[in-house]
């Protein structure tokens, strides 16, 4: 779970230490202040950074992967970026708008523990059917290990993704039915001190 918390591109959010006023629809901005835990000034800065990267105002999956790959040059981040893009694309329309971006960012950086865990569960639940299967978790783990690259230290064994999935299901799948439900996920995470600490890791990023 800790892996998901920090894997967001927040580049170009503040440039030269300036808070810059940008031309974003005032009614849209006021609505986002209500929907997120960002102030109006913070949203203006975020919007400036978003528009620098994505002048059209929306990001398609290829652009998202391209931006994301800059943060993990040592590995192949394309599959993890695909899963992340799907979690950000809340409208399921193949693009991420500024609104989509900041609503998810607000959850990850400033949401409650339950909000953050719900978001993580949604990321892992690839087909969005309300439960995480062993196959889904295996795909996620392989994408994370691909992203981290083969030259990590200490070196990761080829069997590491499978071992991680086995450990995940041993902890989370309380009734041994082969899938992890939202309730099982929330209950286990909230009792795990390491996971709880990782949930607070990015509280003060922005």
């Amino acid at each position: 779970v800790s892996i998901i918390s920090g894997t967001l591109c927040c580049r170009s959010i503040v440039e030269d230490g300036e808070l810059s006023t940008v031309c974003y629809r005032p009614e849209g901005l006021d609505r986002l202040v209500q929907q997120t835990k960002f102030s109006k000034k913070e949203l203006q800065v975020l919007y400036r950074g978003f528009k620098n990267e994505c002048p059209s105002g929306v990001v398609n999956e290829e652009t998202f992967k391209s931006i994301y790959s800059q943060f993990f040059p040592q590995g192949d981040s394309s599959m993890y970026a695909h899963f992340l893009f799907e979690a950000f694309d809340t409208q399921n329309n193949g693009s991420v708008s500024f609104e989509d971006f900041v609503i998810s960012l607000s959850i990850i950086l400033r949401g409650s523990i339950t909000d953050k865990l719900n978001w993580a569960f949604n990321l892992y639940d690839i087909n969005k059917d309300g439960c995480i299967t062993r196959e889904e978790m295996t795909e996620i783990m392989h994408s994370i290990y691909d992203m981290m690259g083969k030259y990590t230290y200490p070196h990761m064994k080829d069997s590491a993704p499978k071992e991680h999935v086995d450990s995940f299901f041993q902890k989370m799948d309380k009734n041994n039915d082969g899938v992890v439900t939202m309730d099982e996920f929330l209950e286990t995470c909230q009792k795990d001190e390491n996971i709880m600490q990782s949930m607070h890791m990015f509280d003060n990023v922005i």
Side-chain angles (χ1 to χ4, degrees):
V1 175
S2 61
I3 301 261
I4 63 103
S5 304
T7 49
L8 283 169
C9 51
C10 302
R11 204 170 67 141
S12 305
I13 288 173
V14 180
E15 293 177 12
D16 307 321
E18 289 178 26
L19 282 169
S20 172
T21 302
V22 292
C23 298
Y24 186 70
R25 302 185 311 278
E27 68 277 10
L29 199 59
D30 289 339
R31 191 175 66 249
L32 283 176
V33 169
Q34 298 297 319
Q35 289 178 304
T36 69
K37 297 195 168 150
F38 296 126
S39 68
K40 191 175 279 195
K41 280 224 166 140
E42 287 170 327
L43 285 165
Q44 288 171 334
V45 174
L46 283 164
Y47 186 64
R48 184 182 180 202
F50 189 87
K51 286 289 279 185
N52 280 348
E53 293 290 354
C54 322
S56 69
V58 294
V59 189
N60 63 25
E61 186 169 340
E62 289 314 305
T63 305
F64 188 88
K65 285 179 177 176
S66 172
I67 294 169
Y68 204 75
S69 67
Q70 296 168 40
F71 294 86
F72 297 93
Q74 76 281 17
D76 177 2
S77 63
S78 59
M79 188 50 72
Y80 188 76
H82 165 72
F83 296 136
L84 201 58
F85 180 85
E86 293 205 325
F88 273 84
D89 178 14
T90 53
Q91 308 296 317
N92 298 314
N93 61 4
S95 64
V96 172
S97 66
F98 177 66
E99 288 87 346
D100 294 332
F101 176 69
V102 293
I103 286 169
S104 284
L105 197 64
S106 174
I107 292 169
I108 293 161
L109 297 180
R110 294 187 181 168
S112 68
I113 294 294
T114 304
D115 289 342
K116 290 177 183 181
L117 290 173
N118 274 317
W119 198 91
F121 184 91
N122 182 57
L123 173 67
Y124 297 152
D125 177 16
I126 295 172
N127 68 357
K128 314 302 181 214
D129 67 349
C131 58
I132 301 169
T133 64
R134 195 171 273 274
E135 291 73 25
E136 286 174 321
M137 202 64 208
T138 299
E139 282 192 60
I140 292 283
M141 279 302 125
H142 276 293
S143 74
I144 289 170
Y145 280 88
D146 287 346
M147 177 173 70
M148 302 314 285
K150 294 187 186 301
Y151 304 107
T152 53
Y153 182 83
H155 181 65
M156 290 181 288
K157 298 180 294 185
D158 289 342
S159 60
K162 182 184 182 305
E163 288 170 9
H164 200 116
V165 172
D166 289 343
S167 170
F168 178 88
F169 271 81
Q170 192 177 349
K171 267 189 191 176
M172 304 262 180
D173 184 12
K174 299 293 187 189
N175 61 357
N176 296 311
D177 64 349
V179 298
V180 173
T181 63
M182 175 73 84
D183 287 343
E184 288 174 323
F185 184 76
L186 289 174
E187 184 188 341
T188 309
C189 289
Q190 286 169 342
K191 288 178 180 171
D192 188 307
E193 199 174 309
N194 291 330
I195 292 173
M196 285 299 93
Q197 284 177 349
S198 74
M199 288 286 110
H200 290 295
M201 203 167 18
F202 297 90
D203 285 355
N204 300 308
V205 167
I206 296 180

